[in-house]
Amino acid sequence: MDNDPNAPPTAKKVGKASNAESRSPKDPQWWLAGSVHPYAPFVGNALKWESYVYDDGSTYEGTMLLDVPHGKGTIVFGNGFGGGIQRPEKNDKYEGEFDTGFAHGLAQYTHTSKGKLFKGEYNVGQRHGCGAEYDMSPFLKKVKGGMDPSQAWEETKDTIESKAKYGTWLRDAFFTGPDESGRWCHIKEITGTVKEVDEVVEKVRMFQYKPDGEVTLRFARDAKGFPAPLMQDPVHYPHGSTFLAPGPLGLCHSIPNDSKLKNAMSKAAAVQQHIHDMYNIPENPEPGSILEKAMKLWKKKQARKQKALEKKLQREMQRIRRTEAAVADDEGAASADIVKEEASPQVEEEEIDDDDLIAFSESGQGSNGPSIVASASVGLSRAVISMQKALHAARIKAPRLPSFSSHRNQ
């Protein structure tokens, strides 16, 4: 079978992947490629809500990634093991968080045969961290005797909580009670953990009894063996719960006259309104309230900012206009000079010949030859003429500078 070229590919076995860093120091995640580990690259799937019944009678309901429990879910143990839980017994239940197939995070564990309930932290299948263990035997005894569960809990609640074991667990064993020094779990940290566990369990139970799931079809049945209608069914609503149906169907049925239900709904509505008010500011706050004062101060601050911005823009526009006017004046003057020079006739300046000076000198001073003054005049005249020609040629050939407005348009 291993040499069959048509056999489907098998997943790489990496276990908990605790040695990924030693196998691939540069990129530990790359060593997980080809496995079903939720942290492997290119898994190609998202979390899915699944409901499985395994061969040993164990069940799992919750989120999975590539058929591996990951996220939040519930395990009810049969005759086997799962989630890394140490020594589970039949019908024990784990409700909480999962990580790559292991019970990891905040959870609640119900030990059915012993009547024990644990709420706390788990680390790879072991109780590890802050938690509390309760003995639910007094409550179960009254329920088995026929008492209503709500009444039984009210009568036994104080006894159960007074005998609860609070403390720190290390590697699935109780280590020490509440530690006031803070080295181990403080009593406030423990009670806070228990409250967080209750919130996690509420979310986990939303994934129980999936419609058309294996657990629902095989275990949730009525006396005749047919699947029992549950609250999660999207079509059927049991008696007294039709008001929860969406749309017009729910509006046609009133809320049952149950004070506890109404109080719970009022509390939920108040919490929702509180969350809404935290992230939304009313358009018209109540006169005289702190919010109204804050809004007035905020509006004044925004008005000052807007006024300062307008002044800054005005000064900038004035500076730009002055610059454009100066550049335009310079261009106009340069253009006028060029046009004037091009329009004026080019009068060739009369070159003074040495012979003329000599003749002039001879006619005025006799036959003693050109004087020193005449020779100097000849040299200066030639230098002035050459300089004028050079400046004129340079001015004509020099490129015209672009205007400020052309730069701004670009």
Side-chain angles (χ1 to χ4, degrees):
M1 183 66 180
D2 296 339
N3 298 327
D4 185 5
N6 297 323
T10 57
K12 179 181 178 181
K13 296 182 179 180
V14 297
K16 293 184 295 184
S18 58
N19 58 345
E21 188 173 0
S22 61
R23 294 296 187 96
S24 180
K26 293 184 178 180
D27 191 356
Q29 189 183 21
W30 182 251
W31 185 73
L32 303 176
S35 69
V36 296
H37 197 286
Y39 292 155
F42 313 115
V43 292
N45 234 333
L47 288 173
K48 292 184 178 181
W49 182 12
E50 302 289 359
S51 176
Y52 285 157
V53 178
Y54 298 96
D55 295 338
D56 61 359
S58 300
T59 65
Y60 175 81
E61 290 185 291
T63 56
M64 280 187 166
L65 184 61
L66 293 175
D67 295 335
V68 176
H70 190 74
K72 294 179 175 62
T74 302
I75 287 182
V76 178
F77 292 95
N79 297 318
F81 299 87
I85 302 295
Q86 306 296 315
R87 300 181 297 277
E89 296 184 7
K90 190 174 182 179
N91 295 325
D92 285 359
K93 182 188 290 185
Y94 173 92
E95 300 171 285
E97 298 176 325
F98 287 84
D99 190 342
T100 65
F102 291 89
H104 189 85
L106 300 174
Q108 173 178 292
Y109 189 87
T110 305
H111 203 302
T112 307
S113 62
K114 296 181 180 180
K116 298 289 184 68
L117 180 69
F118 174 79
K119 296 181 180 181
E121 297 176 292
Y122 273 80
N123 181 38
V124 195
Q126 296 182 337
R127 293 176 293 180
H128 193 82
C130 305
E133 188 177 53
Y134 304 89
D135 185 3
M136 306 297 294
S137 300
F139 167 76
L140 297 174
K141 185 177 180 180
K142 289 184 177 294
V143 172
K144 289 180 180 179
M147 185 178 291
D148 180 73
S150 300
Q151 184 180 354
W153 173 247
E154 291 295 333
E155 293 183 3
T156 60
K157 177 176 63 175
D158 296 336
T159 303
I160 293 173
E161 291 182 351
S162 63
K163 295 182 179 181
K165 183 189 292 185
Y166 298 94
T168 304
W169 272 257
L170 295 179
R171 297 182 179 180
D172 209 38
F174 181 76
F175 179 72
T176 182
D179 185 12
E180 298 297 331
S181 66
R183 180 179 182 184
W184 307 105
C185 294
H186 192 274
I187 184 62
K188 292 184 178 180
E189 186 178 1
I190 297 172
T191 54
T193 302
V194 171
K195 291 181 180 179
E196 291 182 12
V197 170
D198 293 338
E199 295 178 0
V200 170
V201 172
E202 289 180 0
K203 297 177 181 178
V204 168
R205 289 178 178 174
M206 295 176 63
F207 296 102
Q208 293 180 2
Y209 302 110
K210 176 185 177 182
D212 299 332
E214 291 186 14
V215 177
T216 303
L217 296 176
R218 295 184 61 174
F219 292 97
R221 299 185 179 184
D222 57 15
K224 296 182 180 180
F226 294 102
L230 303 171
M231 294 292 290
Q232 283 82 354
D233 194 300
V235 177
H236 177 78
Y237 288 85
H239 177 71
S241 64
T242 316
F243 71 98
L244 296 173
L249 179 60
L251 298 177
C252 294
H253 295 81
S254 60
I255 301 174
N257 190 16
D258 187 345
S259 59
K260 293 184 178 180
L261 177 61
K262 292 181 178 180
N263 291 336
M265 294 181 68
S266 299
K267 183 179 179 181
V271 172
Q272 181 66 24
Q273 186 64 37
H274 177 69
I275 296 174
H276 177 273
D277 295 341
M278 287 174 61
Y279 296 95
N280 296 273
I281 299 177
E283 296 182 0
N284 300 316
E286 184 179 352
S289 62
I290 297 178
L291 182 58
E292 185 191 26
K293 297 178 182 178
M295 291 292 290
K296 288 182 179 179
L297 292 175
W298 179 78
K299 290 180 179 180
K300 289 182 180 179
K301 186 176 181 180
Q302 291 298 113
R304 288 196 297 267
K305 286 184 177 181
Q306 185 65 25
K307 189 175 181 180
L309 180 60
E310 291 177 355
K311 288 184 178 180
K312 185 177 180 180
L313 292 175
Q314 186 178 4
R315 290 194 298 268
E316 184 67 16
M317 292 300 297
Q318 291 176 355
R319 186 187 66 81
I320 292 173
R321 286 194 293 269
R322 287 196 299 267
T323 305
E324 290 178 345
V327 171
D329 293 342
D330 294 342
E331 290 181 352
S335 301
D337 293 342
I338 293 174
V339 171
K340 183 178 179 180
E341 291 178 0
E342 291 178 352
S344 61
Q346 298 293 332
V347 179
E348 294 185 359
E349 298 187 10
E350 183 181 359
E351 295 185 0
I352 302 176
D353 194 2
D354 295 344
D355 296 337
D356 296 337
L357 290 176
I358 292 172
F360 174 77
S361 177
E362 289 179 350
S363 63
Q365 298 182 3
S367 59
N368 294 329
S371 64
I372 298 175
V373 176
S375 300
S377 299
V378 171
L380 290 173
S381 300
R382 290 179 177 178
V384 170
I385 293 171
S386 300
M387 187 178 295
Q388 290 178 348
K389 290 182 178 180
L391 291 174
H392 182 71
R395 187 167 185 176
I396 294 176
K397 295 180 180 180
R400 297 179 62 184
L401 295 177
S403 63
F404 180 81
S405 58
S406 61
H407 272 293
R408 189 178 59 179
N409 295 331
Q410 290 178 0

